[in-house]
């Protein structure tokens, strides 16, 4: 409903109470309702799932319509990100949030900093989702509150044209609430544990869950060694658990992102169950690194399987894990992805060891030969040395083209000495267009950076500490932070306003009228930032 329709509805409701609600202002009710558009996390999940589905359809029609997100580890970080996007681009279209399990482990666990191995409390994940959306909803309330104050000012001045413009702006207001892709790791246990956690995450507002095919109790960060995958049927049970959670809660178009770590995972915890030649279990087992069994009597507590009419022994480590054959990672990724899409997944995630478009595309081409509309979510990870990777890619191409590379040392291309070189400039251009080019060539619908705000927090804090505790002292803060906030129009320079002080003043006036004791008077030092 429009602002005026909300106010009229509230007035009618107040009138029905025959004078007992006369202290309630219909206009104030309308404002509060508009400032709190989403009453529950499920409202958010349903709304944002619709956004993602429309964006996925738009990408199918035009690969240039890819989407993006940054990982956020606190509600304030997410809030400032979306405020910034609205300020610079006028719309949040195509921009999401990403919730990284790595950052939950490193920054939000009650145990303190932990490695990305699913050791943090599972409750911290839905709690962070709820926190992110609490801050985004507050951003709506703050921005609409400022529009309401401007509207009151225009009306007081008798400026009907400005009042109408502001009224239209309120009715057409775009919320800060955007989709979130939330990391459920490997499900934190069996399929029932996955279902229970998925339900909590969806109730908190998540419309998209990202789940990986590692074994829960041996889970590793996607960019570290020692990863262990599970047979497809085990993983698909967890995918179905997520879908059941969405359907139970009425989020019928919820999105499931299935991540395969097979490219870097050389181990499995178990041999897949197989009942027929060529079934899914048999295909999984076919990748095992095995050796022929010559003398059965020499076996001691070993596991043997039949392969092409012969008994073979899968190679097993002292950890009781089985090895895959070297060089099978890409084939396993392709099988993982096709199987996931054929069993209820909506989007894919292939964890790679470097950002190389043709490597990704070589697998996506094979997947799309079976599932033509296959789409990826891709991790533009800070675990990659982007500068070195792309400089080496350009270097290698120049070698293939026969160009002179005698002025470059491939192993030392990260050096600042090369920053102004032609090779470095070409590499930077390839980094700049990576998302666009990868979306066009390799089927990437969504580009995210998992841990960007972890790194920006560290970098900005380091710079401030260096200056403030050094010779610059207070000038380090004023010149490096506050002056930049003012000149770049950073909303939180008025930190009292950002924290909700003005919203609170509005509410005090609604509740107590002229008796309200408000904070926003002439002596409020935030007025110094009005100039």
């Amino acid at each position: 409903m429009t602002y005026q329709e909300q106010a009229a509805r509230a007035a009618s409701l107040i009138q029905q109470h025959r004078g007992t609600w006369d202290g309630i202002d219909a206009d104030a009710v309308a404002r509060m309702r508009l400032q709190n558009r989403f009453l529950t996390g499920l409202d958010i999940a349903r709304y944002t799932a619709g956004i993602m589905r429309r964006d996925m359809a738009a990408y199918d029609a035009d690969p240039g319509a890819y989407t993006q997100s940054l990982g956020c580890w606190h509600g304030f970080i997410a809030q400032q990100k979306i405020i910034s996007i609205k300020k610079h681009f006028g719309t949040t279209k195509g921009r999401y949030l990403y919730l990284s399990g790595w950052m939950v482990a490193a920054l939000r666990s009650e145990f303190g900093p932990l490695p990305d191995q699913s050791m943090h409390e599972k409750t911290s994940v839905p709690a962070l989702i709820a926190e992110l959306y609490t801050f985004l909803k507050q951003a709506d309330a703050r921005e609409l509150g400022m529009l309401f104050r401007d509207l009151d000012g225009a009306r007081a001045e008798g400026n009907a044209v400005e009042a109408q413009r502001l009224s239209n702006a309120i009715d057409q207001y775009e919320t800060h609430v955007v989709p979130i892709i939330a990391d459920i790791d490997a499900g934190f246990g069996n399929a029932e544990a996955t279902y229970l956690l998925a339900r909590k995450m969806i109730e908190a507002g998540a419309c998209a869950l990202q789940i990986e095919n590692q074994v829960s109790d041996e889970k590793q960060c996607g960019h570290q060694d020692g990863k262990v995958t599970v047979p497809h049927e085990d993983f698909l049970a967890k995918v179905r658990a997520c879908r059941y959670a969405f359907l139970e809660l009425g989020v019928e178009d919820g999105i499931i992102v299935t991540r395969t770590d097979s490219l870097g995972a050389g181990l499995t915890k178990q041999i897949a169950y197989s009942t027929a030649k060529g079934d899914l279990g048999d295909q999984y087992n076919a990748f095992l690194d095995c050796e022929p069994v010559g003398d059965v009597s020499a076996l001691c507590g070993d596991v043997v399987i039949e392969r092409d009419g012969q008994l073979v022994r899968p190679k097993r480590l002292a950890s009781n894990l089985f090895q895959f054959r070297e060089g099978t990672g890409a084939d396993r990724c392709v099988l993982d992805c096709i199987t996931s899409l054929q069993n209820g997944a909506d989007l894919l995630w292939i964890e790679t060891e470097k950002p190389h478009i043709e490597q990704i595309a070589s697998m996506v081409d094979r997947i799309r030969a079976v599932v033509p509309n296959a789409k990826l979510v891709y991790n533009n990870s800070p675990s990659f040395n982007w500068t070195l990777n792309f400089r080496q890619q350009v270097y290698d191409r120049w070698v293939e083209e026969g160009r002179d590379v005698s002025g470059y040392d491939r192993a030392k291309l990260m050096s600042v000495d090369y920053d102004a070189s032609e090779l470095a400039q070409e590499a930077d251009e390839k980094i700049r267009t990576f998302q666009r080019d990868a979306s066009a060539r390799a089927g990437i619908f969504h580009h995210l950076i998992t841990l960007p705000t972890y790194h920006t927090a560290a970098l900005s804090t380091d710079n401030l500490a260096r200056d403030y505790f050094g010779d610059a002292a207070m000038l380090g803060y004023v010149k490096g932070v506050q002056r930049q906030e003012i000149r770049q129009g950073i909303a939180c320079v008025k930190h009292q306003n950002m924290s909700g002080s003005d919203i609170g003043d509005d509410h005090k006036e609604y509740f107590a009228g002229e008796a309200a004791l408000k904070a926003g008077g002439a002596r409020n030092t935030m007025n110094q930032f009005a100039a």
Side-chain angles (χ1 to χ4, degrees):
M1 290 186 288
T2 67
Y3 176 26
Q4 295 304 319
E5 288 170 342
Q6 286 276 18
R9 181 178 179 182
S12 176
L13 180 61
I14 291 166
Q15 191 174 26
Q16 291 173 26
H17 286 264
R18 305 185 180 209
T20 61
W21 283 16
D22 282 359
I24 303 297
D25 180 72
D27 200 55
V29 173
R31 293 182 179 194
M32 293 175 76
R33 283 179 170 174
L34 291 172
Q35 287 174 297
N36 187 26
R37 173 176 170 182
F38 302 98
L39 302 182
T40 70
L42 288 177
D43 291 335
I44 292 173
R46 296 185 187 105
Y47 168 75
T48 53
I51 291 175
M52 278 196 71
R53 290 291 179 179
R54 290 189 292 274
D55 286 349
M56 289 161 67
Y59 175 80
D60 286 339
D62 175 13
Y66 60 88
T67 56
Q68 301 166 292
S69 66
L70 297 174
C72 297
W73 54 273
H74 191 278
F76 177 73
I77 300 297
Q79 179 195 67
Q80 294 305 300
K81 168 189 157 182
I82 303 301
I83 286 174
S84 176
I85 288 169
K86 288 190 72 175
K87 180 182 79 171
H88 291 294
F89 305 103
T91 179
T92 62
K93 181 172 175 55
R95 280 84 174 198
Y96 304 166
L97 296 179
Y98 178 67
L99 185 153
S100 160
W102 192 103
M103 285 204 284
V104 170
L107 299 170
R108 301 303 300 256
S109 171
E110 292 185 9
F111 290 97
L114 293 172
D116 182 23
Q117 296 172 353
S118 290
M119 295 191 293
H120 58 275
E121 312 90 337
K122 65 169 68 177
T123 53
S124 60
V125 182
L128 179 54
I129 295 169
E131 176 184 296
L132 294 173
Y133 282 126
T134 295
F135 273 77
L136 294 186
K137 289 169 63 179
Q138 193 264 5
D140 281 357
R142 169 188 167 272
E143 200 167 272
L144 280 164
M146 292 190 293
L147 285 172
F148 291 138
R149 287 180 175 220
D150 290 343
L151 177 60
D152 289 341
R155 287 172 173 173
E157 294 171 0
N159 189 338
V161 173
E162 178 64 3
Q164 185 59 53
R165 185 192 71 80
L166 289 164
S167 183
N168 291 339
I170 291 165
D171 289 341
Q172 296 165 13
Y173 181 78
E174 182 183 57
T175 178
H176 289 81
V177 170
V178 298
I180 185 169
I181 298 175
D183 185 359
I184 197 171
D185 277 31
F188 285 85
N190 61 13
E192 174 68 7
T194 302
Y195 154 75
L196 292 171
L197 178 54
R199 194 171 65 180
K200 288 294 184 184
M201 293 170 70
I202 297 162
E203 287 172 339
C207 72
L209 303 179
Q210 169 230 320
I211 186 166
E212 59 203 62
N213 68 337
Q214 290 192 52
V215 63
S216 291
D217 59 349
E218 300 284 355
K219 181 259 192 299
Q220 296 276 22
C221 171
H223 292 279
Q224 293 186 311
D225 207 351
K227 291 185 288 184
V228 183
T229 63
V230 297
H232 295 93
E233 290 297 348
D234 294 42
F235 181 60
L236 294 176
K238 294 184 178 182
V239 173
R240 287 190 287 270
C242 291
R243 181 63 67 200
Y244 272 110
F246 274 124
L247 294 174
E248 176 186 345
L249 296 172
V251 187
E252 297 183 357
D253 51 359
I255 290 94
I256 298 174
V257 182
T258 52
R259 173 176 135 182
T260 172
D261 280 285
S262 290
L263 200 61
L267 302 169
T268 183
K269 193 165 188 178
Q270 63 197 83
I271 295 172
Y273 177 72
S274 173
T275 59
K277 198 74 173 174
D279 67 11
L280 202 50
D282 186 52
Q283 292 180 67
Y284 187 81
N285 294 337
F287 293 115
L288 292 170
D289 191 4
C290 300
E291 54 189 12
V293 175
D295 182 5
V296 176
S297 65
L299 297 174
C300 181
D302 285 311
V303 174
V304 296
I305 61 174
E306 179 274 333
R307 179 179 287 173
D308 299 325
Q310 291 186 320
L311 285 181
V312 295
R313 182 175 70 88
K315 292 182 180 178
R316 185 166 55 169
L317 305 180
S319 59
N320 209 31
L321 300 172
F322 297 96
Q323 291 183 187
F324 290 115
R325 296 195 316 274
E326 286 286 337
T328 63
D331 291 338
R332 285 184 280 126
C333 277
V334 171
L335 180 60
D336 294 343
C337 291
I338 292 172
T339 301
S340 291
L341 291 173
Q342 291 176 334
N343 287 272
D346 301 291
L347 294 169
L348 304 170
W349 175 320
I350 300 176
E351 195 70 66
T352 66
E353 82 287 358
K354 60 181 179 292
H356 194 290
I357 292 175
E358 286 307 315
Q359 179 197 36
I360 305 164
S362 66
M363 291 180 279
V364 171
D365 288 346
R366 295 169 61 188
I367 297 164
R368 284 186 159 181
V370 180
V371 185
N373 69 337
K375 293 179 283 296
L376 268 64
V377 170
Y378 187 70
N379 179 8
N380 293 202
S381 177
S383 294
F384 304 142
N385 185 332
W386 285 77
T387 300
L388 181 60
N389 265 288
F390 275 81
R391 288 182 182 182
Q392 288 181 339
Q393 288 179 39
V394 172
Y395 179 97
D396 293 343
R397 194 181 72 254
W398 282 14
V399 170
E400 291 176 7
E401 295 171 353
R403 295 181 59 172
D404 181 14
V405 293
S406 59
Y408 301 95
D409 183 340
R410 188 181 187 279
K412 298 180 180 179
L413 287 174
M414 184 66 204
S415 172
V416 67
D417 296 338
Y418 295 121
D419 282 359
S421 69
E422 182 184 358
L423 183 147
Q425 291 171 12
E426 184 173 331
D428 280 355
E429 179 62 14
K430 289 293 182 183
I431 295 171
R432 187 186 72 81
T433 64
F434 172 80
Q435 294 187 340
R436 182 190 68 196
D437 296 341
S439 291
R441 172 68 184 95
I444 298 176
F445 158 73
H446 185 77
H447 288 275
L448 61 89
I449 308 179
T450 43
L451 320 175
T453 53
Y454 176 89
H455 292 279
T456 54
L459 178 61
S460 61
T461 302
D462 178 88
N463 290 342
L464 176 60
R466 176 198 63 205
D467 294 341
Y468 178 76
F469 293 102
D471 290 341
M474 191 57 197
L475 183 62
Y477 172 76
V478 172
K479 185 177 180 180
V481 180
Q482 190 180 78
R483 193 175 296 168
Q484 297 306 314
E485 287 181 305
I486 295 169
R487 291 180 175 169
Q488 294 181 39
I490 305 300
C492 69
V493 70
K494 298 182 180 180
H495 49 258
Q496 304 286 15
N497 168 268
M498 184 57 65
S499 71
S501 179
D502 289 341
I503 297 172
D505 273 1
D506 290 340
H507 290 171
K508 289 175 184 178
E509 189 170 357
Y510 300 161
F511 305 155
E514 294 182 358
L517 181 63
K518 296 192 288 186
R523 293 177 180 171
N524 189 318
T525 59
M526 287 292 103
N527 295 331
Q528 296 172 21
F529 298 95

